[in-house]
Amino acid sequence: MSTTAPDTRSPGSLDGFFQISQRGSTLARELRGGLATFFTMAYIVVLNPLIIGTVPDGTGELLAGGDLAVIAACTALVAGVLSVLMGVVANYPLALATGLGLNAFVAYGIASLDGMTWADAMGLVVLEGIIILVLVLTGFREAVFRAVPTQLKTAISVGIGLFITIIGLVDAGIVRRPASGPVPVELGVGGFLAGWPTVVFLVGLFAIAALMALRVQGAILYGIVGGTLLAILVEAVFEIGPQAPDGSNPTGWGLGVPALPDSVVAAPDFSLLGQFSLLGSVEAIGFTALFLLVFTLMLADFFDTMGTMVAVGAEAGLLDEEGNPPRTRQILVVDSIGAIAGGAGGVSSNTSYIESASGVGEGARTGLASVVTGVLFLLTTFLSPLVAIVPHEAATPALVVVGFLMMQQVVGIDWDDLEIAFPAFLTIVFMPFTYSITAGIGAGFVTWVLLKVVRGKAKQVHPLMWLVAVLFLVYFGIDPIRGLLGV
């Protein structure tokens, strides 16, 4: 009888499959890293329903009939499955979930268009994911990557950050439309902050900022949970009630009155799965608009992934001499499937999360950490009733904080170079000021091409950028074009 200890690093073992020892990690570090990543990402289970579940589509209907618990359960399910898939297929410490910014674009920039339904919008997300998957599998991703100037990509992220911020401030009642007067918006009610819900928002915002300053992992999630508990206490004591549709009780809760739920754990409802129409949007908005929306989704999704996987790999010391992570193709394939699965699951495009760096900071170096994160998301599907008690005022501080994090990328733009600075500026300001991510991207792209032509550098413009700029011109001028054609 042999007394030799089994080789725990053999290909069939957990260590061997995930290359834990080979990458200088341990089982404990991978478990701890997976937990850390989950707690820094778990806010999306609360936040995604509040973003996509409260916006009527072009026909006036709410996603899942406005049942936030259903959206939360599906959000957690899709994130869990994809994170496990990333860990097993790509062996990379990168977790996936519904993309912030992407979900806002789907809600406000696609689903809310006249004639569009939520099923149509999710169909566009699936279509975008299929296109990205084809680009990855055929090697054309480099062509797409090179077509858009790097600093315009940065401007898109910054603009989406400001867009998310204005959504958070409006939903929290910090920024409102005045009852009368020449200005389009004002601070609070009558130019002043008022009401206990505003206090809840401010406490949550500064609590998250303080926790982040103290480098506390999971600061956003803790802020949402703490703000919700405070809101429940405030409502129990003062009985504030909701804001009324007729404008009365303006200092009430903006959406949902916080109260303790009847139950904490419930069997998850996954009825949202499969609720998408792949090409239903063609009839609603036409092929040109469909192309532009899919292209916009693709830009935001595709390039965010490239940056995220490189940033996480650099933090973990996993990049090769050329700055590429191991199994790059597998990482991009899983991420592309994330867009498809997010749309098919009715919860918007899923993408790789930069919060995965928190798990790397705890020592994670392999896909086992992603598997741990995914399993925790799957367990969270049973806690969806908790989502219904979160008021806007407790959740929206997270939007403002995420906006701040995205805004930090603005330093990557050369503001001394007018050729890029002015298009980047228009991209950034158009998004929040027009309440349209598409308008911001279009303004930036068209202006960039125009300035290149004016300065005699037309040959530097990639053919794809020429095509998109022309399409955006058609997009912006669709009404006068229809008038000329008598359509």
Side-chain angles (χ1 to χ4, degrees), residues 436-458:
S436 169
I437 295 174
T438 306
I441 293 177
F445 281 19
V446 171
T447 306
W448 183 81
V449 172
L450 176 63
L451 291 180
K452 285 292 184 182
V453 172
V454 168
R455 299 198 65 178
K457 300 179 180 180

Side-chain angles (χ1 to χ4, degrees), residues 99-249:
L100 275 176
L102 291 171
N103 57 0
F105 176 49
V106 171
Y108 294 92
I110 299 178
S112 60
L113 294 174
D114 288 341
M116 287 285 285
T117 66
W118 272 107
D120 295 336
M122 292 304 169
L124 281 181
V125 175
V126 173
L127 188 60
E128 172 256 338
I130 293 172
I131 293 172
I132 289 183
L133 181 59
V134 171
L135 287 173
V136 171
L137 293 176
T138 58
F140 282 116
R141 65 184 179 87
E142 288 83 5
V144 179
F145 185 77
R146 293 169 183 166
V148 182
T150 301
Q151 295 183 56
L152 270 185
K153 301 170 199 170
T154 301
I156 291 171
S157 294
V158 174
I160 291 176
L162 289 182
F163 182 71
I164 291 174
T165 301
I166 190 65
I167 290 173
L169 294 175
V170 169
D171 286 349
I174 302 299
V175 174
R176 307 189 187 206
R177 186 192 305 273
S180 61
V183 297
V185 293
E186 66 179 3
L187 176 67
V189 180
F192 298 95
L193 296 177
W196 280 105
T198 296
V199 173
V200 170
F201 170 83
L202 294 174
V203 169
L205 179 64
F206 290 113
I208 293 174
L211 291 172
M212 291 176 65
L214 294 173
R215 301 183 184 279
V216 174
Q217 300 290 348
I220 292 177
L221 179 62
Y222 295 148
I224 293 176
V225 172
T228 299
L229 294 175
L230 176 60
I232 293 173
L233 178 62
V234 167
E235 176 60 25
V237 173
F238 299 103
E239 297 182 354
I240 299 164
Q243 296 177 24
D246 62 3
S248 59
N249 194 25

Side-chain angles (χ1 to χ4, degrees), residues 68-95:
L68 302 187
V70 173
I71 302 173
C74 292
T75 298
L77 174 67
V78 177
V81 171
L82 289 170
S83 294
V84 170
L85 191 65
M86 178 66 80
V88 173
V89 174
N91 193 22
Y92 204 59
L94 198 61

Side-chain angles (χ1 to χ4, degrees), residues 48-57 60-72 118 255-256 269 271-272 346 384 387-390:
N48 191 45
L50 291 171
I51 293 175
I52 67 175
T54 58
V55 179
D57 63 20
E61 297 295 323
L62 293 173
L63 182 65
D67 191 334
L68 302 187
V70 173
I71 302 173
W118 272 107
L255 178 70
D269 183 347
S271 59
L272 198 56
S384 57
V387 176
I389 70 173
V390 181

Side-chain angles (χ1 to χ4, degrees), residues 206-433:
F206 290 113
I208 293 174
L211 291 172
M212 291 176 65
L214 294 173
R215 301 183 184 279
V216 174
Q217 300 290 348
I220 292 177
L221 179 62
Y222 295 148
I224 293 176
V225 172
T228 299
L229 294 175
L230 176 60
I232 293 173
L233 178 62
V234 167
E235 176 60 25
V237 173
F238 299 103
E239 297 182 354
I240 299 164
Q243 296 177 24
D246 62 3
S248 59
N249 194 25
T251 58
W253 301 103
L255 178 70
V257 177
L260 290 174
D262 296 330
S263 63
V264 174
V265 178
D269 183 347
F270 299 134
S271 59
L272 198 56
L273 300 180
Q275 300 298 312
F276 71 97
S277 175
L278 189 62
L279 298 175
S281 54
V282 176
E283 183 178 349
I285 60 176
F287 180 78
T288 299
L290 179 147
F291 177 88
L292 289 171
L293 290 174
V294 169
F295 183 78
T296 301
L297 269 175
M298 186 177 67
L299 279 180
D301 203 353
F302 189 82
F303 295 118
D304 278 356
T305 299
M306 296 293 292
T308 299
M309 72 177 188
V310 171
V312 170
E315 181 73 16
L318 296 176
L319 303 183
D320 61 20
E321 297 80 5
E322 297 179 355
N324 297 315
R327 301 189 184 182
T328 297
R329 175 68 62 87
Q330 288 91 329
I331 295 171
L332 291 173
V333 166
V334 174
D335 192 88
S336 302
I337 293 173
I340 299 171
V347 294
S348 183
S349 179
N350 274 232
T351 188
S352 302
Y353 262 54
I354 192 62
E355 283 87 345
S356 303
S358 63
V360 171
E362 291 291 334
R365 295 294 183 272
T366 77
L368 180 57
S370 299
V371 172
V372 172
T373 301
V375 170
L376 291 172
F377 268 120
L378 294 177
L379 293 175
T380 304
T381 61
F382 294 92
L383 302 177
S384 57
L386 293 176
V387 176
I389 70 173
V390 181
H392 261 161
E393 292 79 4
T396 48
L399 288 179
V400 176
V401 171
V402 172
F404 156 72
L405 295 175
M406 297 179 76
M407 183 72 186
Q408 289 179 308
Q409 301 177 55
V410 76
V411 297
I413 299 172
D414 184 0
W415 295 104
D416 293 325
D417 182 358
L418 185 66
E419 284 184 25
I420 191 66
F422 191 63
F425 168 73
L426 291 182
T427 298
I428 292 169
V429 299
F430 261 58
M431 290 187 189
F433 292 159

